[in-house]
Amino acid sequence: METVSETRCFDGVQGVYRHESTATGTPMRFAVYLPPQARRGPVPVLWWLSGLTCTEENFITKAGAQRYAAEHGLALVAPDTSPRGLDLPGEHDAYDFGSGAGFYVDATQAPWASHYRMDSYVTEELPALVAARFPVDPARQGIFGHSMGGHGALVMALRDPDRFRSVSAFAPIVSPTRVPWGEKAFAGYLGDDRAAWTAYDAAELAADSAWRAPILIDQGDADPFLGTQLTPEAFVSAAQAGGIPVTLRMQPGYDHSYYFIASFMADHMAHHARLLAR
């Protein structure tokens, strides 16, 4: 693993790293923030999954999370959103499919299946790498994300409640099988069998998940994607029917940007710190 950069930040260290991924077959970059408490021993780890078009850089430069991670003693890990450098046919033609838009699935369709395996990368390969290199406590993990990353965070938490203790999301795509972003991505990565898509749909998973920790979701009511792509009420209904406690906060005047994310980051970090401290 190569160190791209390490910078002092709120008495901790913000690092960016590169490695050769076996899951994607490409070089992958990811960011790790270690709070000052990590100098004394392993700390809880909180995974951030970014949205469409993003890399690991968006979160670490725009969200303002390091201040709160240092206060609560949480490590932050932010992977990229897709493999890079492949130049597959059509990979760079649209912002919502291909490069920067891996949707945190393991693709089954050619030519994506050999490299677009972001589910395995985020849930298997990268956690093992981080645990081996950094002072984090694998028994205390949380996950959160934005938009496409909110979709990934909810799906991964609901699917594996024994691994994650906390989850939250900003403007998540809660039911990708029923909105244009998800239908486009899933058809390309997973094929035409819509039954296979439900494994990556948080609203579908909520009905049978064993998850019982409280979930926090923030959504701006001025978000241009609210009515067509995000449909948070679909997840709230499914979660309530499945016995999952969820708080949806509709934030007046906020859009889909990192200005929105930064405005409520303190609340999300406190949410995770409370659950990871147990």
Side-chain angles (χ1 to χ4, degrees), residues 51-54 81 90-103 147-148 180-181 184 189 225 229 256:
L52 291 166
T53 75
C54 291
T81 54
E91 185 180 24
H92 312 306
D93 291 352
Y95 78 95
D96 55 357
F97 185 80
S99 181
F103 266 84
S147 194
M148 177 183 73
W181 274 341
K184 177 179 180 178
Y189 295 137
F225 306 113
Q229 305 282 12
H256 200 68

mmCIF file with all atom_site columns, all heavy atoms in Angstrom, residues 51-54 81 90-103 147-148 180-181 184 189 225 229 256:
data_model
loop_
_atom_site.group_PDB
_atom_site.id
_atom_site.type_symbol
_atom_site.label_atom_id
_atom_site.label_alt_id
_atom_site.label_comp_id
_atom_site.label_asym_id
_atom_site.label_entity_id
_atom_site.label_seq_id
_atom_site.pdbx_PDB_ins_code
_atom_site.Cartn_x
_atom_site.Cartn_y
_atom_site.Cartn_z
_atom_site.occupancy
_atom_site.B_iso_or_equiv
_atom_site.pdbx_formal_charge
_atom_site.auth_seq_id
_atom_site.auth_comp_id
_atom_site.auth_asym_id
_atom_site.auth_atom_id
_atom_site.pdbx_PDB_model_num
ATOM 1   N N   . GLY A 1 51  ? -21.381 9.812  -3.112  1.00 0.00 ? 51  GLY A N   1
ATOM 2   C CA  . GLY A 1 51  ? -22.386 9.737  -4.150  1.00 0.00 ? 51  GLY A CA  1
ATOM 3   C C   . GLY A 1 51  ? -21.815 9.810  -5.552  1.00 0.00 ? 51  GLY A C   1
ATOM 4   O O   . GLY A 1 51  ? -20.594 9.791  -5.757  1.00 0.00 ? 51  GLY A O   1
ATOM 5   N N   . LEU A 1 52  ? -22.710 9.912  -6.516  1.00 0.00 ? 52  LEU A N   1
ATOM 6   C CA  . LEU A 1 52  ? -22.348 9.923  -7.927  1.00 0.00 ? 52  LEU A CA  1
ATOM 7   C C   . LEU A 1 52  ? -21.300 10.990 -8.236  1.00 0.00 ? 52  LEU A C   1
ATOM 8   O O   . LEU A 1 52  ? -21.382 12.113 -7.726  1.00 0.00 ? 52  LEU A O   1
ATOM 9   C CB  . LEU A 1 52  ? -23.589 10.183 -8.779  1.00 0.00 ? 52  LEU A CB  1
ATOM 10  C CG  . LEU A 1 52  ? -24.642 9.070  -8.818  1.00 0.00 ? 52  LEU A CG  1
ATOM 11  C CD1 . LEU A 1 52  ? -25.942 9.593  -9.414  1.00 0.00 ? 52  LEU A CD1 1
ATOM 12  C CD2 . LEU A 1 52  ? -24.122 7.888  -9.623  1.00 0.00 ? 52  LEU A CD2 1
ATOM 13  N N   . THR A 1 53  ? -20.344 10.624 -9.056  1.00 0.00 ? 53  THR A N   1
ATOM 14  C CA  . THR A 1 53  ? -19.247 11.455 -9.586  1.00 0.00 ? 53  THR A CA  1
ATOM 15  C C   . THR A 1 53  ? -18.130 11.691 -8.582  1.00 0.00 ? 53  THR A C   1
ATOM 16  O O   . THR A 1 53  ? -17.101 12.268 -8.924  1.00 0.00 ? 53  THR A O   1
ATOM 17  C CB  . THR A 1 53  ? -19.714 12.825 -10.115 1.00 0.00 ? 53  THR A CB  1
ATOM 18  O OG1 . THR A 1 53  ? -20.008 13.719 -9.027  1.00 0.00 ? 53  THR A OG1 1
ATOM 19  C CG2 . THR A 1 53  ? -20.926 12.685 -11.017 1.00 0.00 ? 53  THR A CG2 1
ATOM 20  N N   . CYS A 1 54  ? -18.291 11.276 -7.335  1.00 0.00 ? 54  CYS A N   1
ATOM 21  C CA  . CYS A 1 54  ? -17.318 11.607 -6.288  1.00 0.00 ? 54  CYS A CA  1
ATOM 22  C C   . CYS A 1 54  ? -16.135 10.638 -6.261  1.00 0.00 ? 54  CYS A C   1
ATOM 23  O O   . CYS A 1 54  ? -16.201 9.522  -6.777  1.00 0.00 ? 54  CYS A O   1
ATOM 24  C CB  . CYS A 1 54  ? -17.989 11.597 -4.925  1.00 0.00 ? 54  CYS A CB  1
ATOM 25  S SG  . CYS A 1 54  ? -19.163 12.949 -4.677  1.00 0.00 ? 54  CYS A SG  1
ATOM 26  N N   . THR A 1 81  ? -15.630 5.675  -5.444  1.00 0.00 ? 81  THR A N   1
ATOM 27  C CA  . THR A 1 81  ? -16.970 5.224  -5.808  1.00 0.00 ? 81  THR A CA  1
ATOM 28  C C   . THR A 1 81  ? -17.001 4.255  -6.985  1.00 0.00 ? 81  THR A C   1
ATOM 29  O O   . THR A 1 81  ? -18.069 3.754  -7.340  1.00 0.00 ? 81  THR A O   1
ATOM 30  C CB  . THR A 1 81  ? -17.858 6.434  -6.161  1.00 0.00 ? 81  THR A CB  1
ATOM 31  O OG1 . THR A 1 81  ? -17.199 7.211  -7.171  1.00 0.00 ? 81  THR A OG1 1
ATOM 32  C CG2 . THR A 1 81  ? -18.109 7.300  -4.938  1.00 0.00 ? 81  THR A CG2 1
ATOM 33  N N   . GLY A 1 90  ? -18.081 2.905  -23.151 1.00 0.00 ? 90  GLY A N   1
ATOM 34  C CA  . GLY A 1 90  ? -19.188 3.615  -22.532 1.00 0.00 ? 90  GLY A CA  1
ATOM 35  C C   . GLY A 1 90  ? -18.998 3.964  -21.079 1.00 0.00 ? 90  GLY A C   1
ATOM 36  O O   . GLY A 1 90  ? -19.899 4.550  -20.467 1.00 0.00 ? 90  GLY A O   1
ATOM 37  N N   . GLU A 1 91  ? -17.847 3.666  -20.516 1.00 0.00 ? 91  GLU A N   1
ATOM 38  C CA  . GLU A 1 91  ? -17.644 3.864  -19.074 1.00 0.00 ? 91  GLU A CA  1
ATOM 39  C C   . GLU A 1 91  ? -17.721 5.328  -18.659 1.00 0.00 ? 91  GLU A C   1
ATOM 40  O O   . GLU A 1 91  ? -18.136 5.638  -17.546 1.00 0.00 ? 91  GLU A O   1
ATOM 41  C CB  . GLU A 1 91  ? -16.293 3.277  -18.666 1.00 0.00 ? 91  GLU A CB  1
ATOM 42  C CG  . GLU A 1 91  ? -16.023 3.314  -17.182 1.00 0.00 ? 91  GLU A CG  1
ATOM 43  C CD  . GLU A 1 91  ? -14.671 2.728  -16.810 1.00 0.00 ? 91  GLU A CD  1
ATOM 44  O OE1 . GLU A 1 91  ? -13.770 2.709  -17.671 1.00 0.00 ? 91  GLU A OE1 1
ATOM 45  O OE2 . GLU A 1 91  ? -14.527 2.293  -15.656 1.00 0.00 ? 91  GLU A OE2 1
ATOM 46  N N   . HIS A 1 92  ? -17.313 6.225  -19.541 1.00 0.00 ? 92  HIS A N   1
ATOM 47  C CA  . HIS A 1 92  ? -17.256 7.639  -19.181 1.00 0.00 ? 92  HIS A CA  1
ATOM 48  C C   . HIS A 1 92  ? -18.326 8.465  -19.888 1.00 0.00 ? 92  HIS A C   1
ATOM 49  O O   . HIS A 1 92  ? -18.242 9.694  -19.915 1.00 0.00 ? 92  HIS A O   1
ATOM 50  C CB  . HIS A 1 92  ? -15.875 8.203  -19.524 1.00 0.00 ? 92  HIS A CB  1
ATOM 51  C CG  . HIS A 1 92  ? -14.735 7.371  -19.043 1.00 0.00 ? 92  HIS A CG  1
ATOM 52  N ND1 . HIS A 1 92  ? -14.604 6.977  -17.730 1.00 0.00 ? 92  HIS A ND1 1
ATOM 53  C CD2 . HIS A 1 92  ? -13.677 6.834  -19.709 1.00 0.00 ? 92  HIS A CD2 1
ATOM 54  C CE1 . HIS A 1 92  ? -13.502 6.235  -17.598 1.00 0.00 ? 92  HIS A CE1 1
ATOM 55  N NE2 . HIS A 1 92  ? -12.940 6.130  -18.786 1.00 0.00 ? 92  HIS A NE2 1
ATOM 56  N N   . ASP A 1 93  ? -19.355 7.805  -20.435 1.00 0.00 ? 93  ASP A N   1
ATOM 57  C CA  . ASP A 1 93  ? -20.337 8.527  -21.249 1.00 0.00 ? 93  ASP A CA  1
ATOM 58  C C   . ASP A 1 93  ? -21.382 9.272  -20.429 1.00 0.00 ? 93  ASP A C   1
ATOM 59  O O   . ASP A 1 93  ? -22.012 10.197 -20.932 1.00 0.00 ? 93  ASP A O   1
ATOM 60  C CB  . ASP A 1 93  ? -21.053 7.554  -22.191 1.00 0.00 ? 93  ASP A CB  1
ATOM 61  C CG  . ASP A 1 93  ? -20.131 7.022  -23.284 1.00 0.00 ? 93  ASP A CG  1
ATOM 62  O OD1 . ASP A 1 93  ? -19.000 7.521  -23.396 1.00 0.00 ? 93  ASP A OD1 1
ATOM 63  O OD2 . ASP A 1 93  ? -20.556 6.106  -24.022 1.00 0.00 ? 93  ASP A OD2 1
ATOM 64  N N   . ALA A 1 94  ? -21.619 8.858  -19.183 1.00 0.00 ? 94  ALA A N   1
ATOM 65  C CA  . ALA A 1 94  ? -22.670 9.475  -18.380 1.00 0.00 ? 94  ALA A CA  1
ATOM 66  C C   . ALA A 1 94  ? -22.226 9.562  -16.927 1.00 0.00 ? 94  ALA A C   1
ATOM 67  O O   . ALA A 1 94  ? -21.440 8.739  -16.455 1.00 0.00 ? 94  ALA A O   1
ATOM 68  C CB  . ALA A 1 94  ? -23.966 8.664  -18.476 1.00 0.00 ? 94  ALA A CB  1
ATOM 69  N N   . TYR A 1 95  ? -22.746 10.567 -16.219 1.00 0.00 ? 95  TYR A N   1
ATOM 70  C CA  . TYR A 1 95  ? -22.345 10.756 -14.818 1.00 0.00 ? 95  TYR A CA  1
ATOM 71  C C   . TYR A 1 95  ? -22.952 9.711  -13.894 1.00 0.00 ? 95  TYR A C   1
ATOM 72  O O   . TYR A 1 95  ? -22.445 9.480  -12.795 1.00 0.00 ? 95  TYR A O   1
ATOM 73  C CB  . TYR A 1 95  ? -22.750 12.155 -14.340 1.00 0.00 ? 95  TYR A CB  1
ATOM 74  C CG  . TYR A 1 95  ? -24.211 12.298 -13.987 1.00 0.00 ? 95  TYR A CG  1
ATOM 75  C CD1 . TYR A 1 95  ? -24.650 12.150 -12.676 1.00 0.00 ? 95  TYR A CD1 1
ATOM 76  C CD2 . TYR A 1 95  ? -25.169 12.562 -14.974 1.00 0.00 ? 95  TYR A CD2 1
ATOM 77  C CE1 . TYR A 1 95  ? -25.990 12.264 -12.350 1.00 0.00 ? 95  TYR A CE1 1
ATOM 78  C CE2 . TYR A 1 95  ? -26.502 12.677 -14.650 1.00 0.00 ? 95  TYR A CE2 1
ATOM 79  C CZ  . TYR A 1 95  ? -26.913 12.528 -13.342 1.00 0.00 ? 95  TYR A CZ  1
ATOM 80  O OH  . TYR A 1 95  ? -28.246 12.638 -13.028 1.00 0.00 ? 95  TYR A OH  1
ATOM 81  N N   . ASP A 1 96  ? -24.046 9.065  -14.330 1.00 0.00 ? 96  ASP A N   1
ATOM 82  C CA  . ASP A 1 96  ? -24.779 8.162  -13.439 1.00 0.00 ? 96  ASP A CA  1
ATOM 83  C C   . ASP A 1 96  ? -24.595 6.691  -13.768 1.00 0.00 ? 96  ASP A C   1
ATOM 84  O O   . ASP A 1 96  ? -25.355 5.840  -13.314 1.00 0.00 ? 96  ASP A O   1
ATOM 85  C CB  . ASP A 1 96  ? -26.271 8.517  -13.440 1.00 0.00 ? 96  ASP A CB  1
ATOM 86  C CG  . ASP A 1 96  ? -26.891 8.541  -14.837 1.00 0.00 ? 96  ASP A CG  1
ATOM 87  O OD1 . ASP A 1 96  ? -26.153 8.332  -15.817 1.00 0.00 ? 96  ASP A OD1 1
ATOM 88  O OD2 . ASP A 1 96  ? -28.113 8.779  -14.934 1.00 0.00 ? 96  ASP A OD2 1
ATOM 89  N N   . PHE A 1 97  ? -23.580 6.371  -14.547 1.00 0.00 ? 97  PHE A N   1
ATOM 90  C CA  . PHE A 1 97  ? -23.255 4.972  -14.834 1.00 0.00 ? 97  PHE A CA  1
ATOM 91  C C   . PHE A 1 97  ? -21.791 4.885  -15.233 1.00 0.00 ? 97  PHE A C   1
ATOM 92  O O   . PHE A 1 97  ? -21.290 5.724  -15.972 1.00 0.00 ? 97  PHE A O   1
ATOM 93  C CB  . PHE A 1 97  ? -24.134 4.412  -15.956 1.00 0.00 ? 97  PHE A CB  1
ATOM 94  C CG  . PHE A 1 97  ? -23.918 2.945  -16.207 1.00 0.00 ? 97  PHE A CG  1
ATOM 95  C CD1 . PHE A 1 97  ? -24.506 1.987  -15.389 1.00 0.00 ? 97  PHE A CD1 1
ATOM 96  C CD2 . PHE A 1 97  ? -23.082 2.510  -17.233 1.00 0.00 ? 97  PHE A CD2 1
ATOM 97  C CE1 . PHE A 1 97  ? -24.296 0.632  -15.604 1.00 0.00 ? 97  PHE A CE1 1
ATOM 98  C CE2 . PHE A 1 97  ? -22.867 1.163  -17.456 1.00 0.00 ? 97  PHE A CE2 1
ATOM 99  C CZ  . PHE A 1 97  ? -23.475 0.218  -16.641 1.00 0.00 ? 97  PHE A CZ  1
ATOM 100 N N   . GLY A 1 98  ? -21.102 3.866  -14.739 1.00 0.00 ? 98  GLY A N   1
ATOM 101 C CA  . GLY A 1 98  ? -19.687 3.714  -15.080 1.00 0.00 ? 98  GLY A CA  1
ATOM 102 C C   . GLY A 1 98  ? -18.798 4.464  -14.111 1.00 0.00 ? 98  GLY A C   1
ATOM 103 O O   . GLY A 1 98  ? -18.987 4.418  -12.891 1.00 0.00 ? 98  GLY A O   1
ATOM 104 N N   . SER A 1 99  ? -17.837 5.165  -14.634 1.00 0.00 ? 99  SER A N   1
ATOM 105 C CA  . SER A 1 99  ? -16.838 5.849  -13.818 1.00 0.00 ? 99  SER A CA  1
ATOM 106 C C   . SER A 1 99  ? -17.488 6.788  -12.808 1.00 0.00 ? 99  SER A C   1
ATOM 107 O O   . SER A 1 99  ? -18.308 7.630  -13.158 1.00 0.00 ? 99  SER A O   1
ATOM 108 C CB  . SER A 1 99  ? -15.899 6.645  -14.737 1.00 0.00 ? 99  SER A CB  1
ATOM 109 O OG  . SER A 1 99  ? -14.904 7.300  -13.995 1.00 0.00 ? 99  SER A OG  1
ATOM 110 N N   . GLY A 1 100 ? -17.145 6.601  -11.526 1.00 0.00 ? 100 GLY A N   1
ATOM 111 C CA  . GLY A 1 100 ? -17.718 7.419  -10.463 1.00 0.00 ? 100 GLY A CA  1
ATOM 112 C C   . GLY A 1 100 ? -19.118 7.022  -10.057 1.00 0.00 ? 100 GLY A C   1
ATOM 113 O O   . GLY A 1 100 ? -19.757 7.729  -9.281  1.00 0.00 ? 100 GLY A O   1
ATOM 114 N N   . ALA A 1 101 ? -19.591 5.879  -10.567 1.00 0.00 ? 101 ALA A N   1
ATOM 115 C CA  . ALA A 1 101 ? -20.984 5.482  -10.309 1.00 0.00 ? 101 ALA A CA  1
ATOM 116 C C   . ALA A 1 101 ? -21.099 3.972  -10.154 1.00 0.00 ? 101 ALA A C   1
ATOM 117 O O   . ALA A 1 101 ? -21.908 3.331  -10.819 1.00 0.00 ? 101 ALA A O   1
ATOM 118 C CB  . ALA A 1 101 ? -21.888 5.967  -11.446 1.00 0.00 ? 101 ALA A CB  1
ATOM 119 N N   . GLY A 1 102 ? -20.301 3.412  -9.253  1.00 0.00 ? 102 GLY A N   1
ATOM 120 C CA  . GLY A 1 102 ? -20.307 1.961  -9.072  1.00 0.00 ? 102 GLY A CA  1
ATOM 121 C C   . GLY A 1 102 ? -21.512 1.412  -8.336  1.00 0.00 ? 102 GLY A C   1
ATOM 122 O O   . GLY A 1 102 ? -21.758 0.211  -8.350  1.00 0.00 ? 102 GLY A O   1
ATOM 123 N N   . PHE A 1 103 ? -22.281 2.273  -7.677  1.00 0.00 ? 103 PHE A N   1
ATOM 124 C CA  . PHE A 1 103 ? -23.516 1.920  -6.967  1.00 0.00 ? 103 PHE A CA  1
ATOM 125 C C   . PHE A 1 103 ? -23.329 0.844  -5.892  1.00 0.00 ? 103 PHE A C   1
ATOM 126 O O   . PHE A 1 103 ? -24.293 0.269  -5.413  1.00 0.00 ? 103 PHE A O   1
ATOM 127 C CB  . PHE A 1 103 ? -24.613 1.491  -7.945  1.00 0.00 ? 103 PHE A CB  1
ATOM 128 C CG  . PHE A 1 103 ? -25.521 2.641  -8.317  1.00 0.00 ? 103 PHE A CG  1
ATOM 129 C CD1 . PHE A 1 103 ? -25.165 3.524  -9.330  1.00 0.00 ? 103 PHE A CD1 1
ATOM 130 C CD2 . PHE A 1 103 ? -26.706 2.852  -7.634  1.00 0.00 ? 103 PHE A CD2 1
ATOM 131 C CE1 . PHE A 1 103 ? -25.979 4.597  -9.657  1.00 0.00 ? 103 PHE A CE1 1
ATOM 132 C CE2 . PHE A 1 103 ? -27.540 3.920  -7.958  1.00 0.00 ? 103 PHE A CE2 1
ATOM 133 C CZ  . PHE A 1 103 ? -27.167 4.798  -8.988  1.00 0.00 ? 103 PHE A CZ  1
ATOM 134 N N   . SER A 1 147 ? -26.590 10.107 -0.902  1.00 0.00 ? 147 SER A N   1
ATOM 135 C CA  . SER A 1 147 ? -27.187 9.809  -2.206  1.00 0.00 ? 147 SER A CA  1
ATOM 136 C C   . SER A 1 147 ? -26.911 8.362  -2.611  1.00 0.00 ? 147 SER A C   1
ATOM 137 O O   . SER A 1 147 ? -27.358 7.441  -1.937  1.00 0.00 ? 147 SER A O   1
ATOM 138 C CB  . SER A 1 147 ? -26.674 10.820 -3.245  1.00 0.00 ? 147 SER A CB  1
ATOM 139 O OG  . SER A 1 147 ? -27.431 10.782 -4.421  1.00 0.00 ? 147 SER A OG  1
ATOM 140 N N   . MET A 1 148 ? -26.135 8.128  -3.674  1.00 0.00 ? 148 MET A N   1
ATOM 141 C CA  . MET A 1 148 ? -25.749 6.760  -4.018  1.00 0.00 ? 148 MET A CA  1
ATOM 142 C C   . MET A 1 148 ? -25.042 6.091  -2.856  1.00 0.00 ? 148 MET A C   1
ATOM 143 O O   . MET A 1 148 ? -25.200 4.886  -2.611  1.00 0.00 ? 148 MET A O   1
ATOM 144 C CB  . MET A 1 148 ? -24.850 6.763  -5.258  1.00 0.00 ? 148 MET A CB  1
ATOM 145 C CG  . MET A 1 148 ? -24.327 5.392  -5.676  1.00 0.00 ? 148 MET A CG  1
ATOM 146 S SD  . MET A 1 148 ? -23.197 5.465  -7.090  1.00 0.00 ? 148 MET A SD  1
ATOM 147 C CE  . MET A 1 148 ? -21.714 6.182  -6.310  1.00 0.00 ? 148 MET A CE  1
ATOM 148 N N   . PRO A 1 180 ? -35.184 6.189  -11.660 1.00 0.00 ? 180 PRO A N   1
ATOM 149 C CA  . PRO A 1 180 ? -34.370 6.152  -12.881 1.00 0.00 ? 180 PRO A CA  1
ATOM 150 C C   . PRO A 1 180 ? -32.891 5.896  -12.657 1.00 0.00 ? 180 PRO A C   1
ATOM 151 O O   . PRO A 1 180 ? -32.266 5.138  -13.415 1.00 0.00 ? 180 PRO A O   1
ATOM 152 C CB  . PRO A 1 180 ? -34.623 7.527  -13.503 1.00 0.00 ? 180 PRO A CB  1
ATOM 153 C CG  . PRO A 1 180 ? -35.982 7.916  -13.019 1.00 0.00 ? 180 PRO A CG  1
ATOM 154 C CD  . PRO A 1 180 ? -36.078 7.373  -11.626 1.00 0.00 ? 180 PRO A CD  1
ATOM 155 N N   . TRP A 1 181 ? -32.283 6.520  -11.644 1.00 0.00 ? 181 TRP A N   1
ATOM 156 C CA  . TRP A 1 181 ? -30.858 6.277  -11.395 1.00 0.00 ? 181 TRP A CA  1
ATOM 157 C C   . TRP A 1 181 ? -30.590 4.794  -11.167 1.00 0.00 ? 181 TRP A C   1
ATOM 158 O O   . TRP A 1 181 ? -29.685 4.212  -11.759 1.00 0.00 ? 181 TRP A O   1
ATOM 159 C CB  . TRP A 1 181 ? -30.386 7.064  -10.175 1.00 0.00 ? 181 TRP A CB  1
ATOM 160 C CG  . TRP A 1 181 ? -29.970 8.468  -10.440 1.00 0.00 ? 181 TRP A CG  1
ATOM 161 C CD1 . TRP A 1 181 ? -29.617 9.020  -11.636 1.00 0.00 ? 181 TRP A CD1 1
ATOM 162 C CD2 . TRP A 1 181 ? -29.856 9.522  -9.462  1.00 0.00 ? 181 TRP A CD2 1
ATOM 163 N NE1 . TRP A 1 181 ? -29.292 10.344 -11.467 1.00 0.00 ? 181 TRP A NE1 1
ATOM 164 C CE2 . TRP A 1 181 ? -29.425 10.675 -10.148 1.00 0.00 ? 181 TRP A CE2 1
ATOM 165 C CE3 . TRP A 1 181 ? -30.077 9.578  -8.087  1.00 0.00 ? 181 TRP A CE3 1
ATOM 166 C CZ2 . TRP A 1 181 ? -29.206 11.891 -9.499  1.00 0.00 ? 181 TRP A CZ2 1
ATOM 167 C CZ3 . TRP A 1 181 ? -29.861 10.781 -7.441  1.00 0.00 ? 181 TRP A CZ3 1
ATOM 168 C CH2 . TRP A 1 181 ? -29.426 11.929 -8.136  1.00 0.00 ? 181 TRP A CH2 1
ATOM 169 N N   . LYS A 1 184 ? -31.343 2.380  -14.276 1.00 0.00 ? 184 LYS A N   1
ATOM 170 C CA  . LYS A 1 184 ? -30.285 2.445  -15.281 1.00 0.00 ? 184 LYS A CA  1
ATOM 171 C C   . LYS A 1 184 ? -29.044 1.681  -14.831 1.00 0.00 ? 184 LYS A C   1
ATOM 172 O O   . LYS A 1 184 ? -28.490 0.863  -15.573 1.00 0.00 ? 184 LYS A O   1
ATOM 173 C CB  . LYS A 1 184 ? -29.913 3.905  -15.564 1.00 0.00 ? 184 LYS A CB  1
ATOM 174 C CG  . LYS A 1 184 ? -28.770 4.080  -16.551 1.00 0.00 ? 184 LYS A CG  1
ATOM 175 C CD  . LYS A 1 184 ? -28.478 5.557  -16.799 1.00 0.00 ? 184 LYS A CD  1
ATOM 176 C CE  . LYS A 1 184 ? -27.331 5.735  -17.778 1.00 0.00 ? 184 LYS A CE  1
ATOM 177 N NZ  . LYS A 1 184 ? -27.068 7.171  -18.063 1.00 0.00 ? 184 LYS A NZ  1
ATOM 178 N N   . TYR A 1 189 ? -25.434 -3.144 -14.718 1.00 0.00 ? 189 TYR A N   1
ATOM 179 C CA  . TYR A 1 189 ? -24.524 -3.951 -13.911 1.00 0.00 ? 189 TYR A CA  1
ATOM 180 C C   . TYR A 1 189 ? -25.051 -5.356 -13.620 1.00 0.00 ? 189 TYR A C   1
ATOM 181 O O   . TYR A 1 189 ? -24.277 -6.306 -13.535 1.00 0.00 ? 189 TYR A O   1
ATOM 182 C CB  . TYR A 1 189 ? -24.248 -3.265 -12.572 1.00 0.00 ? 189 TYR A CB  1
ATOM 183 C CG  . TYR A 1 189 ? -23.511 -1.959 -12.661 1.00 0.00 ? 189 TYR A CG  1
ATOM 184 C CD1 . TYR A 1 189 ? -23.909 -0.858 -11.887 1.00 0.00 ? 189 TYR A CD1 1
ATOM 185 C CD2 . TYR A 1 189 ? -22.418 -1.791 -13.499 1.00 0.00 ? 189 TYR A CD2 1
ATOM 186 C CE1 . TYR A 1 189 ? -23.242 0.349  -11.948 1.00 0.00 ? 189 TYR A CE1 1
ATOM 187 C CE2 . TYR A 1 189 ? -21.742 -0.581 -13.568 1.00 0.00 ? 189 TYR A CE2 1
ATOM 188 C CZ  . TYR A 1 189 ? -22.162 0.490  -12.796 1.00 0.00 ? 189 TYR A CZ  1
ATOM 189 O OH  . TYR A 1 189 ? -21.494 1.682  -12.864 1.00 0.00 ? 189 TYR A OH  1
ATOM 190 N N   . PHE A 1 225 ? -33.667 16.366 -6.631  1.00 0.00 ? 225 PHE A N   1
ATOM 191 C CA  . PHE A 1 225 ? -33.866 14.952 -6.923  1.00 0.00 ? 225 PHE A CA  1
ATOM 192 C C   . PHE A 1 225 ? -34.882 14.287 -5.991  1.00 0.00 ? 225 PHE A C   1
ATOM 193 O O   . PHE A 1 225 ? -35.131 13.089 -6.105  1.00 0.00 ? 225 PHE A O   1
ATOM 194 C CB  . PHE A 1 225 ? -32.531 14.204 -6.813  1.00 0.00 ? 225 PHE A CB  1
ATOM 195 C CG  . PHE A 1 225 ? -31.440 14.793 -7.665  1.00 0.00 ? 225 PHE A CG  1
ATOM 196 C CD1 . PHE A 1 225 ? -30.339 15.397 -7.081  1.00 0.00 ? 225 PHE A CD1 1
ATOM 197 C CD2 . PHE A 1 225 ? -31.517 14.754 -9.046  1.00 0.00 ? 225 PHE A CD2 1
ATOM 198 C CE1 . PHE A 1 225 ? -29.321 15.947 -7.852  1.00 0.00 ? 225 PHE A CE1 1
ATOM 199 C CE2 . PHE A 1 225 ? -30.512 15.300 -9.830  1.00 0.00 ? 225 PHE A CE2 1
ATOM 200 C CZ  . PHE A 1 225 ? -29.411 15.907 -9.236  1.00 0.00 ? 225 PHE A CZ  1
ATOM 201 N N   . GLN A 1 229 ? -35.915 10.709 -7.613  1.00 0.00 ? 229 GLN A N   1
ATOM 202 C CA  . GLN A 1 229 ? -34.835 9.754  -7.425  1.00 0.00 ? 229 GLN A CA  1
ATOM 203 C C   . GLN A 1 229 ? -34.692 9.234  -5.997  1.00 0.00 ? 229 GLN A C   1
ATOM 204 O O   . GLN A 1 229 ? -34.124 8.157  -5.793  1.00 0.00 ? 229 GLN A O   1
ATOM 205 C CB  . GLN A 1 229 ? -33.488 10.386 -7.839  1.00 0.00 ? 229 GLN A CB  1
ATOM 206 C CG  . GLN A 1 229 ? -33.445 10.952 -9.245  1.00 0.00 ? 229 GLN A CG  1
ATOM 207 C CD  . GLN A 1 229 ? -33.272 9.879  -10.306 1.00 0.00 ? 229 GLN A CD  1
ATOM 208 O OE1 . GLN A 1 229 ? -33.394 8.685  -10.047 1.00 0.00 ? 229 GLN A OE1 1
ATOM 209 N NE2 . GLN A 1 229 ? -33.002 10.301 -11.536 1.00 0.00 ? 229 GLN A NE2 1
ATOM 210 N N   . HIS A 1 256 ? -29.029 19.214 -2.444  1.00 0.00 ? 256 HIS A N   1
ATOM 211 C CA  . HIS A 1 256 ? -28.364 17.914 -2.485  1.00 0.00 ? 256 HIS A CA  1
ATOM 212 C C   . HIS A 1 256 ? -26.840 18.032 -2.328  1.00 0.00 ? 256 HIS A C   1
ATOM 213 O O   . HIS A 1 256 ? -26.119 17.055 -2.504  1.00 0.00 ? 256 HIS A O   1
ATOM 214 C CB  . HIS A 1 256 ? -28.685 17.251 -3.836  1.00 0.00 ? 256 HIS A CB  1
ATOM 215 C CG  . HIS A 1 256 ? -28.493 15.761 -3.876  1.00 0.00 ? 256 HIS A CG  1
ATOM 216 N ND1 . HIS A 1 256 ? -29.286 14.881 -3.173  1.00 0.00 ? 256 HIS A ND1 1
ATOM 217 C CD2 . HIS A 1 256 ? -27.592 14.988 -4.545  1.00 0.00 ? 256 HIS A CD2 1
ATOM 218 C CE1 . HIS A 1 256 ? -28.893 13.637 -3.416  1.00 0.00 ? 256 HIS A CE1 1
ATOM 219 N NE2 . HIS A 1 256 ? -27.866 13.674 -4.225  1.00 0.00 ? 256 HIS A NE2 1
#
